[in-house]
Amino acid sequence: WLERDSSWDDTYTFNADGLTIYKSGGEIKNLLNNTGMYVSRSGEGILAANNQGVNALNLTARQYLIVGKHARFEDYTDGRTACFWI
């Protein structure tokens, strides 16, 4: 499927903790395991997606964002942002 060579040694680790993707000296580190996906930048958790939901330090929604069961925020090109009851 995928042949392993020494150039991959500095890029990922796959062990009992899960799949960790990183670059030595880089600021971003990703962990994917049976509990979810976790991203850190310089040691600070910036994204967690697991059975508790999604927790993100910064979040950009490119079209609209649904909050709860009844609110949708939508951005318009004329500089307005609207909140709708859904």
Side-chain angles (χ1 to χ4, degrees), residues 1-15:
W1 171 71
L2 180 65
E3 289 198 29
R4 179 178 165 85
D5 65 40
S6 62
S7 67
W8 283 75
D9 291 340
D10 196 32
T11 316
Y12 80 95
T13 303
F14 190 52
N15 58 27

Side-chain angles (χ1 to χ4, degrees), residues 26-59:
E27 66 176 344
I28 300 293
K29 187 174 194 177
N30 301 277
L31 171 64
L32 179 64
N33 63 27
N34 67 320
T35 67
M37 181 179 74
Y38 308 89
V39 180
S40 62
R41 179 177 44 219
S42 301
E44 177 187 11
I46 59 171
L47 174 70
N50 56 33
N51 66 351
Q52 301 297 309
V54 177
N55 185 331
L57 178 64
N58 294 308
L59 179 65

